[in-house]
Amino acid sequence: MCGRYALYAAGERIARQFRLEAVPGLDARYNLAPGQSLAVVTEGRGHDRQLRFMRWGLVPGWSKTPSVPYSTINARAETVAEKPVFRSAFRRRRCLIPASGWYEWQPAAGGRQPWFMHPRRGQGLLAFGGVWEHWAGDGAEPFDSVAIVVTAAAPSLQPIHDRMPVLIEAPDYEAWLDHENHDSARLQALMQSADAAGVQALRVSTHVNSPKHDDPRCIEPFDAGDRRPAQIDTDG
């Protein structure tokens, strides 16, 4: 799954990578959590790209209330095309979520060990595949919401966690965002690649465990005082 991530790249960098005309000033975020507002790239009817802000935790348009009684922060790649809560969004409203990296927690003696997965040597940004919905119920303020699509982890990351976000590569941004693209085989291939080449897994401290902590300490390397590797490169 993906339940926390970071986005601290400059707006100009985001605009350049995702071919956006303009990006509003963004605060550096080191510990984004469910329920918070995420920066999301969508494509309009004219195939123009926009950066929008959406609540993390998808609420389908047909929901009678602005919440659902179960977690919708992630959509599984294996079922996103058929599951009623995500089906319409997957067909018509796919999006990209820019990210500097994401966190996973590995079972360990004495408690779970957090790791931060990010582009090796700080190069570039990641793009999570996502789906989004617009909710406009009676008597409540309309809003947009989003879920991150997750798939089986790449073999190099499986010792940390068995799931990871779907990572969309830049040449595939157009195919993923295009709301007129209903090529199920092509979309399934994008979700199942689980390619983590160039991603580095960095062991960090439990400072990140609390969503109240949203500062650079969340991504600082953690020395456990033993011989376990502090980082894992996955480009081999």
Side-chain angles (χ1 to χ4, degrees):
M1 66 171 293
C2 177
R4 304 278 187 83
Y5 79 98
L7 177 60
Y8 44 80
E12 294 81 3
R13 181 65 177 274
I14 297 171
R16 184 167 62 250
Q17 179 159 331
F18 291 90
R19 290 196 289 111
L20 299 164
E21 287 190 5
V23 171
L26 298 176
D27 293 332
R29 299 296 307 276
Y30 296 90
N31 197 4
L32 285 154
Q36 296 180 355
S37 180
L38 309 187
V40 175
V41 176
T42 64
E43 187 174 83
R45 293 189 180 278
H47 297 280
D48 56 313
R49 296 181 187 175
Q50 299 175 328
L51 188 76
R52 303 166 62 180
F53 293 90
M54 303 184 185
R55 191 173 81 183
W56 189 2
L58 186 141
V59 178
W62 45 259
S63 176
K64 296 183 182 300
T65 66
S67 62
V68 290
Y70 43 84
S71 176
T72 54
I73 64 169
N74 294 155
R76 294 178 67 89
E78 298 87 344
T79 58
V80 65
E82 293 86 24
K83 199 167 184 179
V85 69
F86 300 121
R87 183 171 54 207
S88 177
F90 178 71
R91 183 172 178 79
R92 300 182 180 89
R93 289 174 292 279
R94 296 182 298 273
C95 60
L96 297 169
I97 297 100
S100 299
W102 81 95
Y103 300 96
E104 295 291 2
W105 279 259
Q106 180 185 38
R112 297 190 304 161
Q113 171 63 56
W115 290 77
F116 182 56
M117 271 61 68
H118 64 98
R120 186 167 56 92
R121 300 191 186 97
Q123 298 174 356
L125 279 164
L126 301 173
F128 300 157
V131 293
W132 69 277
E133 274 281 12
H134 179 73
W135 186 87
D138 294 336
E141 186 73 21
F143 64 91
D144 297 331
S145 60
V146 64
I148 295 172
V149 183
V150 295
T151 188
S156 56
L157 297 179
Q158 287 181 2
I160 297 174
H161 199 277
D162 62 351
R163 307 291 291 181
M164 64 178 282
V166 165
L167 301 180
I168 306 295
E169 299 296 329
D172 299 316
Y173 288 177
E174 183 175 355
W176 181 260
L177 288 173
D178 186 357
H179 56 272
E180 297 176 355
N181 177 14
H182 305 308
D183 184 343
S184 58
R186 172 70 168 137
L187 294 171
Q188 286 293 330
L190 291 178
M191 292 190 292
Q192 300 303 328
S193 60
D195 184 4
V199 172
Q200 177 175 294
L202 179 69
R203 188 166 56 191
V204 295
S205 79
T206 55
H207 179 75
V208 73
N209 287 6
S210 171
K212 295 180 181 180
H213 299 155
D214 189 6
D215 55 64
R217 282 185 58 195
C218 292
I219 63 171
E220 290 179 357
F222 173 64
D223 181 3
D226 56 30
R227 296 183 179 179
R228 290 178 294 171
Q231 63 186 38
I232 302 171
D233 285 318
T234 63
D235 59 338

